[in-house]
Amino acid sequence: MSDLLRNARLVRPSTSALDRVLIVTGDYLDAKLWDAILHQNTAVGPKYWVEKGKKGNLLGALQAYSAVRDNHRGDDSPISQIVMIFGSGTRLSPFTQSLRNVKAAFPLPAGSRGSSGLTIGEAAIRSAAPWIDCLRDAGFHGIVLSWGDEVLIPSKPLIADPAAISHADVIRFGWRRDPDSELATQKEWLQVDLATNLVIRDISRQPLDRLTEVLHRTSNPQMATFVNLGSFAATHEFLSAACDTFGKRVFDESSAANWDPYFWQALQSPSRESWDELIRHEQGASLAGLQGLLASVPDFFELVRHFRMAFEQRAGRPMRISVFDFGEPWPSIEGAIVLGGNIGRIIADHGAAIIWCRVDDLRVDGPNGIAFRLDGGRRVVLGDESATTLRLGERTLNLKYSRRIGNIDPGIFEKRLPGNPVSFSEAASLMKAVDPIELHRSWLARLAMVQLGAWRRSVRMAPCGFLTLRLPYTAAATSAAPSMQAKTRTTPAKKSTHS
């Protein structure tokens, strides 16, 4: 059995993680939705914090932590992780419009859940439990900060070196590998001193040739390159000191800042001159991220520098930021895939994905056809299309996206594409008016054969390979199935079920 599969199996019984999580959302309706989804699966249930203002994941996490930090006392803390559940997922259009613009509500299979499945958000919370236990066993006492659209399953043995972990103030999660053209522009990067296991430098995502040049200038034989996986762990002392340093900006209505990559880059900058050089580089490359941060928090570098000095003075030593190697967390797809649904007949080519649909007669072509929450009589999804149905009370809208269009940038998001009755932007606004709990219950009812009465379900497919749902620019969500190649197959409706 591979370490990836072994670690994935550790996640299955980790429902207790839901009792030790603080979920941060952007509005009260989202908090109500997650409470409706998660509370039924746990004894105590998560804690919630609704962010005041649009703060970014740095100040948003500090805001949530500052509201509860007096209750934290090492291993006795009622919170082991803070999960930021934000993001409408514009690059996942039209799927997230079907989910009322909540990317982390995307469903995954779970045999014990029937038609309700398992959301990305819950899977993300539960997936952290094994590595939280691993870090605690190695002597680390702190909180994991993670994102609700990332399900990270390490592909290496869950063994942490106490010498590297127990005295760390922050533990970054990474995957040791050299960059390629795809990852170079999608992920941030860490340079790590293997002799000390300390992160020396954060590097922004950028074209491969430029990234390779940057790495070559600063590399030496004991340096290694890691993909930054986003989530990280920090001690209570680190988070508390950060709350104190950012002070009123944690709760004001105007300040916003993210962790990646500029907080870490400011933390690593040896001088104001090096920070100014970074600003000039980003301006020359026409990158807006750092300029937007400085427009919101003009004294960001000074704040971070003061934070580091105050922390190190209090600790009586230099700050220690270590790395924990997850290995490759993204396996690959083989075959076709079917996740749940009420379907009369299916034709699915190699590479097709059919997720939580309710269709009498459905055909999904390969290599990249995806049907998600499609509803209706007879539907066809071409091999370069993604298709879904939006439920607006009794009214429905069908939306699709074709890979021929290219990436969903702001222009595409606002444009009404051929064959769609509204733009993705208009669809997002329409779905915002829908009660998220009613929408959730509506789909559960439509997918549950018992509740639908006369609706008969038959979903039979050639066995699938290892499934990866790769959300754009995030880590992957996984589910195991027998490793066989799927062939195109047609199945007539019978009184049978598949989930």
Side-chain angles (χ1 to χ4, degrees), residues 79-387:
I79 302 296
S80 62
Q81 61 174 313
I82 295 175
V83 178
M84 313 292 289
I85 298 189
F86 290 90
S88 61
T90 58
R91 289 170 295 196
L92 265 182
S93 296
F95 298 153
T96 45
Q97 284 85 358
S98 176
L99 295 161
R100 192 191 167 268
N101 314 313
V102 183
K103 179 167 59 170
F106 200 99
L108 301 173
S112 61
R113 298 284 183 85
S115 61
S116 63
L118 180 75
T119 63
I120 286 277
E122 180 175 348
I125 295 167
R126 290 170 57 175
S127 73
W131 20 286
I132 290 173
D133 291 341
C134 175
L135 296 179
R136 184 178 292 114
D137 291 344
F140 180 82
H141 304 285
I143 285 185
V144 165
L145 283 82
S146 59
W147 326 128
D149 59 356
E150 293 184 351
V151 182
L152 296 177
I153 308 293
S155 61
K156 299 185 70 172
L158 277 172
I159 302 172
D161 179 9
I165 297 300
S166 61
H167 299 296
D169 304 302
V170 176
I171 300 172
R172 310 287 296 280
F173 302 139
W175 166 26
R176 183 180 175 182
R177 65 153 295 156
D178 294 327
D180 57 29
S181 58
E182 180 181 9
L183 286 173
T185 58
Q186 293 186 3
K187 307 296 291 184
E188 276 81 33
W189 297 81
L190 310 175
Q191 276 192 311
V192 177
D193 183 340
L194 295 179
T196 61
N197 199 52
L198 296 180
V199 177
I200 304 302
R201 189 178 186 196
D202 275 62
I203 304 172
S204 302
R205 59 187 72 182
Q206 54 194 291
L208 180 60
D209 55 348
R210 191 180 305 157
L211 176 62
T212 302
E213 180 184 348
V214 170
L215 292 172
H216 181 73
R217 286 202 311 264
T218 58
S219 184
N220 63 56
Q222 70 179 31
M223 287 284 192
T225 306
F226 285 72
V227 177
N228 174 25
L229 298 181
S231 301
F232 66 94
T235 63
H236 295 286
E237 292 77 13
F238 181 94
L239 294 172
S240 185
C243 289
D244 293 339
T245 298
F246 281 92
K248 64 181 181 180
R249 295 170 183 80
V250 172
F251 280 93
D252 68 21
E253 294 293 325
S254 59
S255 302
N258 291 324
W259 296 99
D260 291 327
Y262 303 118
F263 172 82
W264 306 111
Q265 290 177 326
L267 203 65
Q268 297 154 358
S269 293
S271 65
R272 176 74 208 201
E273 181 181 351
S274 64
W275 178 251
D276 290 339
E277 182 180 348
L278 176 63
I279 294 175
R280 289 191 294 271
H281 167 76
E282 299 242 335
Q283 288 174 334
S286 299
L287 301 175
L290 184 51
Q291 298 304 310
L293 169 62
L294 296 178
S296 175
V297 189
D299 57 344
F300 185 77
F301 175 75
E302 287 74 22
L303 284 168
V304 176
R305 188 175 181 85
H306 174 72
F307 159 67
R308 178 157 196 157
M309 292 175 60
F311 179 89
E312 292 182 344
Q313 184 176 15
R314 185 183 305 177
R317 56 168 175 77
M319 184 180 291
R320 291 191 286 253
I321 301 178
S322 294
V323 68
F324 184 51
D325 187 1
F326 272 45
E328 181 178 4
W330 303 314
S332 59
I333 274 187
E334 293 179 14
I337 220 72
V338 176
L339 307 184
N342 288 336
I343 305 177
R345 189 180 72 147
I346 295 175
I347 300 175
D349 288 339
H350 180 94
I354 299 165
I355 306 169
W356 262 253
C357 294
R358 180 188 185 273
V359 184
D360 290 319
D361 190 342
L362 177 62
R363 191 190 92 200
V364 182
D365 298 336
N368 298 303
I370 303 176
F372 171 64
R373 280 190 173 180
L374 267 182
D375 199 355
R378 185 177 186 276
R379 306 301 299 272
V380 175
V381 181
L382 301 181
D384 64 348
E385 289 183 341
S386 302

Side-chain angles (χ1 to χ4, degrees), residues 417-430:
L417 302 178
N420 285 347
V422 297
S423 69
F424 295 143
S425 175
E426 291 169 326
S429 296
L430 289 170

Side-chain angles (χ1 to χ4, degrees), residues 35-52:
D35 193 51
I37 292 173
L38 299 177
H39 197 78
Q40 60 186 326
N41 302 320
T42 180
V44 178
K47 291 80 178 171
Y48 296 90
W49 177 260
V50 178
E51 190 176 79
K52 303 182 187 308

Side-chain angles (χ1 to χ4, degrees), residues 1-9 153-157 331 466 480:
M1 183 188 302
S2 71
D3 290 315
L4 179 70
L5 184 55
R6 186 178 293 106
N7 294 335
R9 289 185 173 181
I153 308 293
S155 61
K156 299 185 70 172
F466 201 93

